[in-house]
Amino acid sequence: MKSFRHRLLTTILIWIGVLLAGLLIVIGQLFPIYAETHNTAEVWLMLFFVFVVAMIFSAIIGYRIIQVQALPVENVTQTALELAKGNYRARAFEYSNVGTVELSSTINILARNLQEITAIREMEQERLKTLIENMGSALIMIDRQGGITLVNRSFMQEFQLAAEDIDGKFYKEIRIPYELERFIEQVFMTETAARNQLEFKQGIHSKHIDVYGAPVLGEHEQWLGIVIVSHDITELKRLEQIRKDFVANVSHELRTPVTSIKGFTETLLEGAYKDPATAFSFLEIIEKESNRLEMLIKDLLELSKVEQAGFRVDAVPTNMKNLIERVGEMVERRLEEKNIQLKLQLEPVIVQGDPNRLVQVMMNLLVNAISYSTSRTAITVRLYQQDGEAVIEVEDQGIGIEASEIGRLFERFYRVDRARSRNSGGTGLGLSIVKHLIEAHHGNVKVESEVGVGTTFTIHLPLAS
Ligand SMILES: Nc1ncnc2c1ncn2[C@@H]1O[C@H](COP(=O)(O)OP(=O)(O)O)[C@@H](O)[C@H]1O
Ligand SMILES: [Mg+2]
């Protein structure tokens, strides 16, 4: 930059020299004539005057040249330097009627293009980053040397890593489950895509992931490293386990009465039928077991129906007070058998619900309350309105439930005391059905219980509008 100005200044100085020389020649020509008519002092004054005029003249011309030629070039150079530094917002002044205007505008076009290209690149990078960060799967990229080049947030969360655990590390150095490390190694060594399901311990819990690994190929099929994507499938595995448990439970529940029926029938056929008393008691058992089978199948069908996605109840305004009184009458015989008193504290409340389904719910809760209570206790059913909802409470003074069991109470076939519950005649599906039915009514059901004191089931249901 400086050199351009220097050169220009030198040019101007030479130019002034030439001008002065010219002047001196002219003066040299005129001098003899002038000297004859004027004294020496006047001659010197004249010379000095001419010199000063020439200097001022040169200065003005020089200044103009610098303004017109040097400054725009300096400005364009400065802009180019800024662009080189990466500041694509820099622009040159486009001085009008100057020879350098073309240079300035070209530099500006270049700057604008660069700015646009950078903006597009930044946008694409941002998009890619957002995609990788929010893809919902954990992702890690490893280069040819085994160094980690990219890791997304899900990966860090999933394997409980912090940024400093990863920065500049090799994949073998980071703290990931051994099973995953082996999988990465396999993809890394074989350079072929692979998929697998891995199980490992994280703290006290078992975790399942579905992993996919593939080599990353650049231009000309050149191997650049590998990418690993993993997906947490723990919840899926849990559901699969529940399904398997369910099948096992159903088979077990069905087998027990069938075995019993088969055993007693065989004994009868082998000759026990000849003794009427034995035959009668055996037939009674067979009848009881058949009833259990029938109930189990009924509950299973019922559960599969209410569990169906899109299951709806036919909700109509229903007089809940009447409904509970009716259910109270239906369990009268059972109450009498165990000498249990039923106290009804019912306010007139109209709910939005399916009467048949609500009878089923109340039946299940009341039969449970009776089954899991000792003789000569009381069961209280309350019905009232609160915060724009109907509240139903079924409180017993029965055996109660351990706090640790309450979380699983609504699971299919879950029973606190298997032997005891089976003797109570239930199928282990009652509370699952209750929960599904109440949720289909857009309500909810909760339990509070204390062992040896009693249990209260509380249902919230929407009121009829
Ligand atoms: N009122 C209650 N008091 C104590 N335990 C209860 C009560 N209601 C339910 N339970 C427990 O919850 C389990 C599940 O109930 P449920 O689904 O109705 O099946 P079950 O057919 O065994 O009655 C029961 O086996 C019992 O252990
Ligand atoms: Mg029950």
Side-chain angles (χ1 to χ4, degrees), residues 258-271 282 286:
V258 170
T259 312
S260 173
I261 291 170
K262 194 163 171 260
F264 284 105
T265 317
E266 277 168 7
T267 321
L268 274 175
L269 288 173
E270 277 161 17
F282 280 16
I286 291 170

Side-chain angles (χ1 to χ4, degrees), residues 364-365 367-368 371-372 424 426-431:
N364 266 311
L365 293 185
V367 170
N368 275 353
S371 303
Y372 304 108
S424 78
T427 57
L429 297 173
L431 286 182

Side-chain angles (χ1 to χ4, degrees), residues 400-417:
I401 305 159
E402 290 280 354
S404 58
E405 310 275 357
I406 285 184
R408 304 195 56 190
L409 215 59
F410 293 96
E411 282 177 24
R412 301 176 290 194
F413 289 120
Y414 190 77
R415 285 150 159 168
V416 177
D417 178 347

Side-chain angles (χ1 to χ4, degrees), residues 305-326:
K305 194 151 90 189
V306 299
E307 272 187 344
Q308 216 61 246
F311 167 75
R312 289 242 168 73
V313 289
D314 299 324
V316 292
T318 304
N319 186 330
M320 199 63 202
K321 184 171 184 271
N322 284 355
L323 190 144
I324 294 175
E325 282 164 354
R326 243 186 21 243

Side-chain angles (χ1 to χ4, degrees), residues 92-108:
F93 294 119
E94 295 185 20
Y95 300 90
S96 54
N97 62 42
V98 172
T100 57
V101 68
E102 209 170 321
L103 179 61
S104 307
S105 59
T106 313
I107 275 278
N108 284 348

Side-chain angles (χ1 to χ4, degrees), residues 134-163:
N134 299 298
M135 61 195 268
S137 305
L139 179 136
I140 183 170
M141 261 177 98
I142 295 163
D143 65 20
R144 290 168 56 164
Q145 281 77 38
I148 296 166
T149 44
L150 186 97
V151 151
N152 71 355
R153 204 173 34 214
S154 301
F155 189 91
M156 314 243 277
Q157 278 168 359
E158 184 128 0
F159 301 106
Q160 299 166 347
L161 296 164

